[in-house]
Amino acid sequence: MKVYGDLRSGNCLKVKYVAEKLGISYEWQEVDVLSCITRSTAFLELNPAGQIPAVDFGDGHVLAQSNAIMRYLARNSSLIPTDPWQAAKMDEWLFWEQYSHEPPIAVVRFLRTFKNMPMADIDTRLIAKGNAALDMMDTHLGKNMWFTGSAISLADIALYAYTQFADEGGFHLEKYPHVVTWLGRVPESL
């Protein structure tokens, strides 16, 4: 299995974390997403969407989209709850992460860290959405150790991947004490 990814990308780190947690061997192919290599003919043949992560299983199968890759790698593992309701709740968090969490948290981090954009030039609505996502996470984690069930799941890994870098985007994590505690707990379970 060859993983095409950039170690600066939370979406790529999700795949790395799951593979390592489950003891799945892989080869990491570092792809600098800022270099536009994902728009090359060779890469587009691998993944027509021109995105990372992408995983080549070496048997003619290639899978893209971080949460789809995680779900595939983690099938029949403890990272996916066996209870159907808990599994559905995990999926709910995975969809929420890609729609409501990753866009503001990752984009603001990218603009600040990789484009050196001053906070004053970033759309305030994007910052507000990021804070709202962190607030929702903090509220949930105030009542629960994990996002789904009584142990780490793919929901935690997905949300951890970019939340761990939220401060690089100028988000003040000290406002979210339950998130901070959870951020300390996740690596111990990976």
Side-chain angles (χ1 to χ4, degrees):
M1 174 172 103
K2 183 184 272 191
V3 180
Y4 293 83
D6 187 323
L7 289 173
R8 298 171 295 183
S9 163
N11 284 328
C12 296
L13 288 174
K14 292 178 197 178
V15 176
K16 181 181 187 316
Y17 295 155
V18 170
E20 290 177 0
K21 168 75 173 169
L22 298 176
I24 300 169
S25 63
Y26 65 93
E27 175 188 345
W28 185 270
Q29 178 64 54
E30 186 68 15
V31 176
D32 180 355
V33 73
L34 300 176
S35 72
C36 298
I37 197 167
T38 59
R39 296 294 176 212
S40 70
T41 302
F43 193 86
L44 290 171
E45 286 176 13
L46 177 75
N47 179 8
Q51 299 172 324
I52 53 172
V55 177
D56 184 345
F57 290 93
D59 60 359
H61 291 95
V62 175
L63 190 58
Q65 299 300 322
S66 59
N67 289 352
I69 296 166
M70 286 195 321
R71 276 197 91 346
Y72 180 76
L73 294 178
R75 65 196 184 285
N76 303 316
S77 81
S78 63
L79 292 175
I80 299 176
T82 55
D83 176 76
W85 178 252
Q86 291 300 321
K89 293 302 281 182
M90 181 197 74
D91 285 336
E92 180 179 61
W93 281 111
L94 290 176
F95 289 114
W96 180 82
E97 181 266 340
Q98 282 292 283
Y99 185 77
S100 299
H101 174 275
E102 188 263 357
I105 301 291
V107 169
V108 172
R109 174 189 176 231
F110 177 81
L111 292 173
R112 299 229 336 129
T113 304
F114 302 106
K115 294 293 187 179
N116 297 313
M117 185 179 286
M119 197 65 140
D121 292 347
I122 296 174
D123 186 340
T124 56
R125 292 172 296 183
L126 201 55
I127 296 164
K129 286 179 184 179
N131 284 318
L134 291 166
D135 188 55
M136 184 169 166
M137 291 172 64
D138 201 63
T139 299
H140 178 80
L141 291 166
K143 300 173 193 160
N144 304 277
M145 281 189 65
W146 303 104
F147 279 94
T148 305
S150 59
I152 192 170
S153 75
L154 293 180
D156 296 284
I157 294 171
L159 288 162
Y160 176 79
Y162 275 113
T163 303
Q164 68 181 323
F165 302 122
D167 60 333
E168 292 179 13
F171 294 99
H172 301 287
L173 290 176
E174 68 274 4
K175 294 179 183 177
Y176 310 102
H178 304 297
V179 169
V180 171
T181 300
W182 168 82
L183 283 170
R185 187 167 43 245
V186 172
E188 296 169 0
S189 297
L190 286 177

